[in-house]
Amino acid sequence: MKRPPILEGVKKILFYGDSLTDGSSYPDYVVNTLNRLFPDAGFVLMNSAMCGNTAADLLKRLKDDVLDRKPDLVSICIGTNDRWTNRDIAPYAADMEALATNLLSAGIKVMLIKPSPLGNPDQETKFQENLAVIQQVADRHKLLVADAHQVFLDGAKAGKEMLGADGVHHGKDGFEGMARAVLDALGFRGVEMDKVIKPWPGLLTSWESSDPVPLDGTYDLDEATGWKPYNGVALSKRQPWWNSPFSARGGFMPFDDVNPKQAAYGRTVYDAVEAGDCDLLIGGSPNPMVVWLNGKQVWRATKPHGYHPDGDRIAVRMEKGRNEIVGVSNFMLFVGVAKR
């Protein structure tokens, strides 16, 4: 099978957007399927989406969260929060144009996604303006467009659960619908998807869990007690469908869901063949998240954070042999290691 032009010379594929992409499984489905179709390509999945973002938010963090990571192809799905917050269409259009222009100027290929429908009829009617802007930007720059909006409408007519109860986020068939739209746009209409969620490369997946501690914002390794083996497979099986992918990707999840009053520590080990500089890959739910390496705090969440494994990269020094990594969270934490 021949690669479509947009995938020629592409290895790193970054998905950018709001909560419809942040933590969603559709990027996994897309990249898994592409790697099955092209086993020698070695496509790398990257995610820089963040819950609650508008197009203006994407533009503000474009350098740090996209350009500096040097992806080859960026898929943008944004506009739902712009519409939901009744943001004027003119600034949205300007932001979409700036996103496309900045990425293309950096030599990065771009695909746009028309977001899924809104369950509120009035907002859905107004949302057509945002969808029209996406098409206009795509036409202006000759960009590929994945029409997830239409895929969701068709799926709903067929009786599928495309949207969740809030009329914004995706139902149990929504992740597949998003992936279907992207794969169809790439020219793989009807191709079977690989929907098995796998641990992301470099993530540490063997954890121990502490007894719960108060969710008070003051965390110290001395309060971590009652260590016991953590069974991510068992936790994933008892999770609702929207949470289970987090554990399957390699996340440490101390509770069955967000615990509003408690957090817990997770402990894991990285065995280094030799001493050297590495990057810690850190991701997960926004707060609290603190990470220690060999007893020293190396990272603490200070800003909104994506629900994906590679939200931050922290430069650290690994010692030869055993390196102990401890993190604390009330819902989910990803930690991985990448050699420099």
Side-chain angles (χ1 to χ4, degrees), residues 200-216:
W200 279 32
L203 285 188
L204 303 175
T205 59
S206 180
W207 291 86
E208 292 179 296
S209 181
S210 78
D211 289 336
V213 298
L215 186 66
D216 59 9

Side-chain angles (χ1 to χ4, degrees), residues 130-187:
N130 299 80
L131 301 180
V133 165
I134 293 170
Q135 190 63 57
Q136 290 161 8
V137 173
D139 290 345
R140 192 176 303 126
H141 296 283
K142 297 181 173 56
L143 305 179
L144 205 60
V145 176
D147 195 350
H149 196 274
Q150 189 61 50
V151 169
F152 271 64
L153 293 176
D154 294 342
K157 288 180 181 178
K160 294 182 178 180
E161 188 180 321
M162 306 303 290
L163 290 178
D166 64 1
V168 177
H169 295 95
H170 297 156
K172 64 182 180 65
D173 297 314
F175 292 171
E176 184 173 347
M178 293 290 291
R180 182 79 274 156
V182 174
L183 290 169
D184 285 355
L186 291 171

Side-chain angles (χ1 to χ4, degrees), residues 259-322:
N259 190 309
K261 295 182 179 180
Q262 293 182 314
Y265 291 81
R267 181 169 66 184
T268 188
V269 170
Y270 176 73
D271 289 314
V273 176
E274 58 185 5
D277 295 330
C278 296
D279 284 333
L280 277 188
L281 314 179
I282 302 175
S285 53
N287 286 301
M289 287 200 297
V290 187
V291 175
W292 294 262
L293 172 63
N294 295 327
K296 179 182 178 181
Q297 181 179 310
V298 294
W299 185 85
R300 178 181 287 261
T302 58
K303 62 181 180 179
H305 206 276
Y307 282 74
H308 39 270
D310 58 347
D312 278 303
R313 299 176 74 97
I314 310 300
V316 297
R317 176 79 176 176
M318 290 290 180
E319 301 300 327
K320 181 178 180 180
R322 186 180 190 273

